[in-house]
Amino acid sequence: MPVLADERLAALVRQVMPARAPQWVVQIVDDHQDACVMFNRSVLRVHRNWSTDVHDAGLHSVLAYHPLSLKKVSSQVLRGLSSRTAVDVWQACAIKKGYKGRLSEKRGFLARTADGELAFASNAAAAELDALREVKRAIYERARQARSRAQRDREYQGLMSRRLTLRKYDGSFRVPLSDYEGWLPKQTAEALRHYGDEGVPLLVIEGEAFDLVPSLNDGHLADLVYQLDRDVQRAQAETDDRALDQFLGSLDEG
Protein backbone atom coordinates (compact mmCIF):
# COMPACT_ATOMS: atom_id res chain seq x y z
CA MET A 1 0.00 0.00 0.00
CA PRO A 2 1.35 3.45 -0.86
CA VAL A 3 1.91 5.81 2.05
CA LEU A 4 2.45 9.55 2.13
CA ALA A 5 6.07 10.63 2.03
CA ASP A 6 7.32 12.71 4.92
CA GLU A 7 7.66 16.44 4.28
CA ARG A 8 11.44 16.32 3.78
CA LEU A 9 11.23 13.67 1.05
CA ALA A 10 8.13 15.24 -0.52
CA ALA A 11 9.89 18.62 -0.73
CA LEU A 12 12.96 17.01 -2.29
CA VAL A 13 10.88 15.20 -4.92
CA ARG A 14 8.89 18.35 -5.80
CA GLN A 15 12.14 20.32 -6.08
CA VAL A 16 13.52 18.18 -8.92
CA MET A 17 10.32 17.10 -10.68
CA PRO A 18 8.57 19.25 -13.31
CA ALA A 19 6.35 21.74 -11.48
CA ARG A 20 2.62 21.18 -11.43
CA ALA A 21 -0.40 23.05 -10.05
CA PRO A 22 -1.77 21.88 -7.73
CA GLN A 23 1.56 20.67 -6.38
CA TRP A 24 2.42 17.00 -6.45
CA VAL A 25 1.21 14.71 -3.70
CA VAL A 26 4.18 12.40 -3.08
CA GLN A 27 3.60 8.81 -2.00
CA ILE A 28 6.04 5.98 -1.26
CA VAL A 29 5.78 2.43 -2.60
CA ASP A 30 7.85 -0.65 -1.76
CA ASP A 31 7.65 -2.37 -5.16
CA HIS A 32 9.36 -0.80 -8.17
CA GLN A 33 6.44 -1.86 -10.35
CA ASP A 34 4.08 0.30 -8.28
CA ALA A 35 5.94 3.54 -8.99
CA CYS A 36 3.77 5.68 -11.26
CA VAL A 37 2.18 9.04 -12.01
CA MET A 38 -1.51 9.72 -11.48
CA PHE A 39 -2.02 12.92 -13.43
CA ASN A 40 -5.73 13.23 -12.67
CA ARG A 41 -4.90 13.41 -8.94
CA SER A 42 -1.44 15.07 -9.18
CA VAL A 43 0.08 12.08 -7.40
CA LEU A 44 3.65 10.84 -7.72
CA ARG A 45 4.43 7.39 -6.40
CA VAL A 46 8.16 7.01 -5.89
CA HIS A 47 10.09 3.98 -4.72
CA ARG A 48 11.11 3.90 -1.07
CA ASN A 49 14.80 4.14 -2.02
CA TRP A 50 14.29 7.13 -4.34
CA SER A 51 16.40 9.55 -2.28
CA THR A 52 19.50 7.31 -2.46
CA ASP A 53 19.04 5.38 -5.71
CA VAL A 54 17.85 8.36 -7.75
CA HIS A 55 18.52 11.73 -6.13
CA ASP A 56 21.83 11.06 -4.39
CA ALA A 57 23.08 9.23 -7.49
CA GLY A 58 22.45 12.35 -9.57
CA LEU A 59 19.87 10.59 -11.74
CA HIS A 60 16.83 12.70 -10.83
CA SER A 61 17.03 14.59 -14.14
CA VAL A 62 18.34 12.56 -17.07
CA LEU A 63 17.90 13.89 -20.59
CA ALA A 64 14.13 14.63 -20.66
CA TYR A 65 13.36 12.07 -17.94
CA HIS A 66 12.76 12.38 -14.20
CA PRO A 67 12.88 8.88 -12.67
CA LEU A 68 10.42 7.85 -9.95
CA SER A 69 12.04 4.43 -9.59
CA LEU A 70 15.30 2.84 -10.69
CA LYS A 71 15.95 -0.88 -10.30
CA LYS A 72 19.45 -2.07 -11.19
CA VAL A 73 19.53 -4.86 -13.79
CA SER A 74 22.35 -6.81 -15.41
CA SER A 75 23.93 -5.88 -18.73
CA GLN A 76 22.27 -7.31 -21.82
CA VAL A 77 25.09 -6.39 -24.22
CA LEU A 78 28.47 -6.30 -22.51
CA ARG A 79 29.61 -9.68 -21.26
CA GLY A 80 32.89 -11.50 -20.66
CA LEU A 81 36.03 -9.52 -21.49
CA SER A 82 34.01 -6.69 -23.03
CA SER A 83 32.53 -5.97 -19.60
CA ARG A 84 35.67 -3.93 -18.93
CA THR A 85 33.66 -1.24 -20.72
CA ALA A 86 31.31 -0.48 -17.82
CA VAL A 87 27.66 0.36 -18.44
CA ASP A 88 25.15 0.55 -15.60
CA VAL A 89 21.56 -0.29 -16.50
CA TRP A 90 18.35 0.33 -14.57
CA GLN A 91 14.74 -0.57 -15.17
CA ALA A 92 12.99 2.75 -14.85
CA CYS A 93 9.67 4.47 -14.39
CA ALA A 94 9.94 8.17 -15.10
CA ILE A 95 8.11 11.37 -15.93
CA LYS A 96 9.05 12.60 -19.37
CA LYS A 97 8.91 16.29 -20.18
CA GLY A 98 8.05 16.59 -23.84
CA TYR A 99 7.03 19.18 -26.41
CA LYS A 100 5.79 22.45 -24.88
CA GLY A 101 6.34 20.98 -21.42
CA ARG A 102 3.80 18.22 -21.83
CA LEU A 103 4.28 15.51 -19.21
CA SER A 104 3.86 11.77 -19.64
CA GLU A 105 4.79 8.60 -17.79
CA LYS A 106 7.44 6.43 -19.44
CA ARG A 107 8.64 2.94 -18.55
CA GLY A 108 11.85 1.64 -19.99
CA PHE A 109 15.55 1.32 -19.25
CA LEU A 110 18.20 3.86 -18.38
CA ALA A 111 21.86 3.21 -19.22
CA ARG A 112 24.93 5.15 -18.09
CA THR A 113 28.51 4.55 -19.18
CA ALA A 114 31.59 5.06 -17.03
CA ASP A 115 32.17 8.28 -19.01
CA GLY A 116 28.76 9.57 -17.90
CA GLU A 117 27.00 9.20 -21.26
CA LEU A 118 23.28 8.46 -20.80
CA ALA A 119 20.49 6.89 -22.81
CA PHE A 120 16.86 5.92 -22.23
CA ALA A 121 15.11 3.26 -24.33
CA SER A 122 12.22 0.82 -24.23
CA ASN A 123 14.52 -2.18 -23.65
CA ALA A 124 17.81 -2.67 -21.84
CA ALA A 125 19.91 -3.67 -24.86
CA ALA A 126 18.78 -0.64 -26.86
CA ALA A 127 19.56 1.69 -23.94
CA GLU A 128 23.07 0.21 -23.58
CA LEU A 129 23.80 0.46 -27.29
CA ASP A 130 22.55 4.05 -27.42
CA ALA A 131 24.76 4.97 -24.46
CA LEU A 132 27.79 3.35 -26.13
CA ARG A 133 27.04 5.26 -29.34
CA GLU A 134 27.05 8.46 -27.29
CA VAL A 135 30.52 7.51 -26.00
CA LYS A 136 31.76 7.13 -29.58
CA ARG A 137 30.19 10.44 -30.59
CA ALA A 138 31.86 12.14 -27.63
CA ILE A 139 35.24 10.64 -28.58
CA TYR A 140 34.86 11.77 -32.19
CA GLU A 141 33.80 15.24 -31.06
CA ARG A 142 36.77 15.59 -28.71
CA ALA A 143 39.09 14.50 -31.53
CA ARG A 144 37.47 17.01 -33.90
CA GLN A 145 37.83 19.80 -31.33
CA ALA A 146 41.46 18.84 -30.72
CA ARG A 147 42.21 19.03 -34.45
CA SER A 148 40.41 22.36 -34.70
CA ARG A 149 42.30 23.73 -31.69
CA ALA A 150 45.63 22.58 -33.09
CA GLN A 151 44.84 24.26 -36.42
CA ARG A 152 43.90 27.47 -34.60
CA ASP A 153 47.16 27.41 -32.62
CA ARG A 154 49.20 26.91 -35.82
CA GLU A 155 47.46 29.82 -37.53
CA TYR A 156 47.91 32.25 -34.64
CA GLN A 157 51.51 31.23 -34.02
CA GLY A 158 52.21 31.51 -37.74
CA LEU A 159 50.78 35.04 -37.70
CA MET A 160 52.98 36.02 -34.76
CA SER A 161 56.07 34.44 -36.30
CA ARG A 162 55.55 36.33 -39.56
CA ARG A 163 55.05 39.59 -37.70
CA LEU A 164 58.26 39.09 -35.72
CA THR A 165 60.14 38.23 -38.93
CA LEU A 166 58.83 41.34 -40.72
CA ARG A 167 59.21 43.59 -37.68
CA LYS A 168 59.62 47.26 -38.61
CA TYR A 169 59.82 48.83 -35.18
CA ASP A 170 62.80 49.51 -32.95
CA GLY A 171 63.54 46.60 -30.61
CA SER A 172 63.98 49.03 -27.72
CA PHE A 173 60.29 50.07 -27.78
CA ARG A 174 58.73 49.23 -24.42
CA VAL A 175 55.21 48.67 -23.11
CA PRO A 176 53.83 48.58 -19.54
CA LEU A 177 53.91 45.09 -18.06
CA SER A 178 50.46 45.77 -16.53
CA ASP A 179 48.95 45.80 -20.06
CA TYR A 180 49.83 42.09 -20.47
CA GLU A 181 49.90 40.76 -16.92
CA GLY A 182 46.39 39.30 -17.22
CA TRP A 183 47.51 36.90 -19.96
CA LEU A 184 50.95 35.99 -18.64
CA PRO A 185 51.59 33.14 -16.19
CA LYS A 186 52.43 34.46 -12.72
CA GLN A 187 56.03 33.22 -12.84
CA THR A 188 56.61 34.82 -16.25
CA ALA A 189 55.19 38.15 -15.08
CA GLU A 190 57.44 38.07 -12.00
CA ALA A 191 60.49 37.38 -14.19
CA LEU A 192 59.66 40.33 -16.47
CA ARG A 193 59.53 42.78 -13.57
CA HIS A 194 63.32 43.03 -13.67
CA TYR A 195 62.96 45.36 -16.67
CA GLY A 196 61.83 47.99 -14.18
CA ASP A 197 59.53 50.98 -14.45
CA GLU A 198 60.41 51.69 -18.08
CA GLY A 199 58.36 48.67 -19.14
CA VAL A 200 59.11 45.48 -21.06
CA PRO A 201 60.45 45.44 -24.62
CA LEU A 202 57.54 44.76 -26.97
CA LEU A 203 59.77 42.29 -28.76
CA VAL A 204 59.94 40.20 -25.56
CA ILE A 205 56.16 40.38 -25.10
CA GLU A 206 55.57 39.18 -28.66
CA GLY A 207 57.87 36.23 -28.01
CA GLU A 208 55.97 35.35 -24.84
CA ALA A 209 52.65 35.71 -26.68
CA PHE A 210 53.73 33.05 -29.19
CA ASP A 211 54.09 30.55 -26.33
CA LEU A 212 50.78 31.62 -24.77
CA VAL A 213 48.64 30.69 -27.79
CA PRO A 214 47.85 27.05 -26.82
CA SER A 215 46.83 27.99 -23.27
CA LEU A 216 44.33 30.76 -24.13
CA ASN A 217 40.71 30.36 -25.18
CA ASP A 218 39.44 32.13 -28.30
CA GLY A 219 38.18 35.21 -26.46
CA HIS A 220 41.35 35.80 -24.45
CA LEU A 221 43.52 35.14 -27.48
CA ALA A 222 41.57 37.64 -29.59
CA ASP A 223 41.98 40.27 -26.84
CA LEU A 224 45.71 39.59 -26.63
CA VAL A 225 46.17 39.91 -30.39
CA TYR A 226 44.18 43.17 -30.38
CA GLN A 227 46.43 44.62 -27.66
CA LEU A 228 49.53 43.50 -29.54
CA ASP A 229 48.27 45.03 -32.79
CA ARG A 230 47.74 48.38 -31.07
CA ASP A 231 51.20 48.37 -29.51
CA VAL A 232 52.91 47.23 -32.72
CA GLN A 233 51.22 50.09 -34.61
CA ARG A 234 52.40 52.56 -31.95
CA ALA A 235 55.91 51.12 -32.06
CA GLN A 236 56.07 51.31 -35.86
CA ALA A 237 54.69 54.85 -35.87
CA GLU A 238 57.28 55.95 -33.30
CA THR A 239 60.07 54.28 -35.27
CA ASP A 240 58.89 55.94 -38.49
CA ASP A 241 58.73 59.36 -36.78
CA ARG A 242 62.24 58.91 -35.44
CA ALA A 243 63.52 57.92 -38.89
CA LEU A 244 61.82 60.94 -40.44
CA ASP A 245 63.34 63.28 -37.85
CA GLN A 246 66.77 61.82 -38.55
CA PHE A 247 66.26 62.25 -42.29
CA LEU A 248 65.16 65.87 -41.92
CA GLY A 249 68.06 66.51 -39.57
CA SER A 250 70.49 65.18 -42.16
CA LEU A 251 69.04 67.56 -44.74
CA ASP A 252 69.50 70.51 -42.41
CA GLU A 253 73.10 69.54 -41.83
CA GLY A 254 73.62 69.31 -45.57
Side-chain angles (χ1 to χ4, degrees), residues 116-137:
E117 300 298 336
L118 296 152
F120 194 101
S122 59
N123 65 77
E128 285 187 75
L129 290 173
D130 286 346
L132 291 170
R133 290 189 189 99
E134 289 302 317
V135 171
K136 289 183 179 179
R137 289 193 190 99

Side-chain angles (χ1 to χ4, degrees), residues 49-248:
N49 296 333
W50 181 91
S51 61
T52 54
D53 294 351
V54 178
H55 186 272
D56 292 351
L59 297 170
H60 50 79
S61 181
V62 178
L63 305 174
Y65 300 89
H66 301 272
L68 306 173
S69 168
L70 291 176
K71 180 182 179 182
K72 194 74 175 288
V73 297
S74 59
S75 169
Q76 300 297 304
V77 176
L78 299 175
R79 302 181 185 278
L81 293 176
S82 63
S83 64
R84 287 177 296 183
T85 304
V87 178
D88 293 320
V89 187
W90 297 268
Q91 187 175 359
C93 173
I95 292 180
K96 182 181 181 182
K97 190 172 185 179
Y99 181 65
K100 292 186 177 180
R102 182 178 179 180
L103 303 180
S104 59
E105 178 187 302
K106 294 294 181 183
R107 293 183 181 274
F109 292 83
L110 172 67
R112 180 180 63 184
T113 70
D115 293 357
E117 300 298 336
L118 296 152
F120 194 101
S122 59
N123 65 77
E128 285 187 75
L129 290 173
D130 286 346
L132 291 170
R133 290 189 189 99
E134 289 302 317
V135 171
K136 289 183 179 179
R137 289 193 190 99
I139 292 172
Y140 293 150
E141 177 60 19
R142 288 195 294 269
R144 185 195 66 78
Q145 290 179 357
R147 290 193 297 271
S148 177
R149 182 65 177 255
Q151 179 63 27
R152 184 211 71 160
D153 292 350
R154 286 195 295 271
E155 289 175 355
Y156 271 105
Q157 289 182 324
L159 171 67
M160 292 180 179
S161 293
R162 288 191 296 274
R163 187 162 59 189
L164 281 169
T165 301
L166 301 173
R167 178 175 60 85
K168 297 179 181 178
Y169 63 85
D170 192 318
S172 64
F173 183 86
R174 298 196 174 203
V175 294
L177 176 59
S178 59
D179 287 353
Y180 291 91
E181 219 165 345
W183 293 291
L184 293 169
K186 185 177 180 180
Q187 290 182 333
T188 302
E190 288 296 329
L192 295 178
R193 293 190 195 284
H194 78 272
Y195 282 102
D197 295 336
E198 294 183 3
V200 182
L202 180 57
L203 196 60
V204 172
I205 292 293
E206 286 210 84
E208 293 294 339
F210 179 92
D211 294 331
L212 284 174
V213 169
S215 65
L216 298 177
N217 63 35
D218 289 347
H220 290 161
L221 186 53
D223 291 342
L224 172 59
V225 171
Y226 176 74
Q227 181 67 40
L228 282 171
D229 284 345
R230 291 180 59 190
D231 285 337
V232 168
Q233 289 174 5
R234 288 196 306 111
Q236 290 181 170
E238 183 177 299
T239 299
D240 291 343
D241 289 344
R242 187 181 300 116
L244 179 60
D245 289 343
Q246 291 174 350
F247 174 71
L248 293 176

